[in-house]
Amino acid sequence: MLQASRMLSSIALVLSLLSCSQGFQSLQHSQRGLHLQVSPSPAIRLSLSSSASDLLTADDGTIATWNTPSGQTVTLIGTAHLSKKSNEQVKQVIEKCQPNIVMVELDPARLSRIGINSVDDIQLEVVTSEDIELPNQPPQPWYWLALNLFAQVARKFLTGMYNSASKDMKNNDGGGGEFLAAIRSAEACPNCHKLILGDRDSVTTIRRTFQLAIESGNPFALWGKFSEANQQEMDEMQRQVQQELGADGKEVDSGELQVAMMERLKSDSDLRDRLFAKLEQEVPEFTQAFLKERDYIMGQAIGRELTQDPSVKQVVAVVGLAHVPGIQAHLEGMFSK
């Protein structure tokens, strides 16, 4: 039981960062003709925003900026979905940047999880990415209904895992608190007039993961491969962090330990590179559906607003740290054509 609990805690920590390797390599996995390039090189250069760099205690790569040829600025804030520090950072950066548009890594169905009943309760114009399709959109498989039912069950399981981790970490904001902070900060920002719910529905993402796993020929091994891919590395990190916290002989609380591990994952780019290079190698179906396809959709959602409204000067996007390099690469590709 203890082993299973430790494994689930490690998975929750990894999922909250979602492949947050700044040098995350291009995902070349292709299914049914789908081929999306996440990054043009093994390492994408991320530059700190001059308007927000003073909010960081160190160059930890959680904030990146990109400018269109016409001078529009996109500030990408990379977060960990269970980190209170990320919540505070989001508030401060939006207040400092005073954006015209804010984009969050949510879809309308997930608003209720952060305490917002519907888009009608948001005091901004709201647009979504629901009409954005992937290139060579994969056809709906004949077993779609069964796949959809399974995805619904899997989402409830993942939500429960997040909630449990939030409780253990004494995070009253819960998973995704940075998105609520972003929305409320955008509502309070006099320059901001629009909110983009830029992500696709989470059930669709889970369904796509299992569809890809079925097409790869070994769907039942997916969870095992994912949970085992980095367990040894996570166990070693836990040992090191626990040793550091208990250096003065005090007993280490499990919640305190998980918070410290979360912040270690955020700050240690080498560790993140190792973790997610292994994940990409062992579970390409997961990285394709959870990272690559969503990077494309969120990048398209931002780029569309920049193109349609040249008067927009500043966009702030709040996404899991994993998505920062892929979204930036997609925007660079959109505006270089």
Side-chain angles (χ1 to χ4, degrees):
M1 182 65 71
L2 184 61
Q3 176 84 10
S5 176
R6 186 168 70 248
M7 182 186 72
L8 290 176
S9 296
S10 297
I11 291 172
L13 289 175
V14 171
L15 282 175
S16 74
L17 294 171
L18 194 56
S19 315
C20 35
S21 165
Q22 293 172 32
F24 202 87
Q25 295 182 357
S26 303
L27 302 179
Q28 303 291 343
H29 184 64
S30 178
Q31 294 286 350
R32 290 186 178 271
L34 179 64
H35 186 85
L36 300 177
Q37 184 78 5
V38 171
S39 64
S41 63
I44 295 178
R45 184 179 69 256
L46 302 181
S47 58
L48 282 176
S49 167
S50 59
S51 62
S53 60
D54 58 316
L55 300 176
L56 301 177
T57 58
D59 183 358
D60 59 359
T62 57
I63 296 179
T65 58
W66 175 81
N67 296 311
T68 68
S70 62
Q72 297 165 297
T73 299
V74 178
T75 300
L76 301 165
I77 310 175
T79 69
H81 301 323
L82 295 173
S83 171
K84 288 184 177 181
K85 289 185 178 181
S86 287
N87 302 354
E88 290 304 313
Q89 183 187 49
V90 165
K91 296 176 187 177
Q92 293 173 343
V93 172
I94 290 177
E95 182 179 353
K96 186 75 174 181
C97 292
Q98 289 291 300
N100 308 115
I101 296 175
V102 168
M103 192 277 278
V104 292
E105 183 197 322
L106 285 177
D107 64 275
R110 276 182 281 169
L111 286 174
S112 61
R113 300 187 206 173
I114 59 170
I116 299 176
N117 293 326
S118 74
V119 295
D120 295 332
D121 297 322
I122 298 173
Q123 305 304 309
L124 295 164
E125 179 186 354
V126 178
V127 297
T128 74
S129 62
E130 292 175 318
D131 61 328
I132 296 175
E133 294 187 350
L134 298 171
N136 303 316
Q137 182 78 14
Q140 193 175 97
W142 61 268
Y143 47 86
W144 185 88
L145 288 177
L147 205 59
N148 194 59
L149 178 62
F150 188 83
Q152 297 273 3
V153 173
R155 182 178 67 172
K156 289 183 179 180
F157 173 76
L158 292 174
T159 300
M161 189 169 62
Y162 266 120
N163 291 341
S164 178
S166 296
K167 183 178 179 180
D168 290 343
M169 297 167 72
K170 300 179 176 61
N171 184 351
N172 295 328
D173 295 330
E178 76 272 33
F179 303 134
L180 180 60
I183 293 171
R184 295 309 181 213
S185 297
E187 290 175 325
C189 176
N191 291 338
C192 189
H193 64 272
K194 185 177 291 187
L195 175 75
I196 306 173
L197 299 177
D199 202 4
R200 70 179 174 190
D201 180 84
S202 58
V203 170
T204 301
T205 295
I206 296 170
R207 189 170 62 233
R208 276 288 293 152
T209 303
F210 285 103
Q211 180 184 352
L212 292 169
I214 289 171
E215 292 172 357
S216 72
N218 194 8
F220 298 107
L222 181 67
W223 178 254
K225 290 192 296 182
F226 180 80
S227 61
E228 295 171 6
N230 288 304
Q231 194 59 50
Q232 184 175 350
E233 187 102 40
M234 293 293 289
D235 286 346
E236 176 59 22
M237 181 185 70
Q238 178 173 327
R239 185 192 66 78
Q240 293 176 3
V241 171
Q242 191 164 15
Q243 190 175 50
E244 293 167 7
L245 291 176
D248 58 357
K250 72 172 183 177
E251 185 175 346
V252 180
D253 176 78
S254 62
E256 181 185 7
L257 175 61
Q258 288 193 56
V259 170
M261 289 175 66
M262 168 71 66
E263 297 305 326
R264 174 68 63 85
L265 280 169
K266 282 177 60 183
S267 63
D268 191 336
S269 60
D270 290 338
L271 174 60
R272 296 197 309 265
D273 286 347
R274 293 196 303 273
L275 288 176
F276 291 103
K278 183 68 177 295
L279 195 60
E280 178 185 353
Q281 177 184 357
E282 297 293 329
V283 201
E285 303 91 345
F286 172 84
T287 50
Q288 164 103 0
F290 269 79
L291 184 69
K292 179 165 60 172
E293 294 179 357
R294 294 166 66 208
D295 286 350
Y296 174 85
I297 291 169
M298 289 188 281
Q300 281 286 119
I302 296 170
R304 179 168 63 181
E305 296 301 322
L306 293 172
T307 302
Q308 291 178 352
D309 188 355
S311 69
V312 171
K313 300 303 180 186
Q314 176 78 252
V315 176
V316 169
V318 181
V319 298
L321 187 52
H323 294 291
V324 170
I327 292 173
Q328 179 169 338
H330 181 69
L331 287 169
E332 290 174 350
M334 283 183 70
F335 285 86
S336 65
K337 295 177 181 177

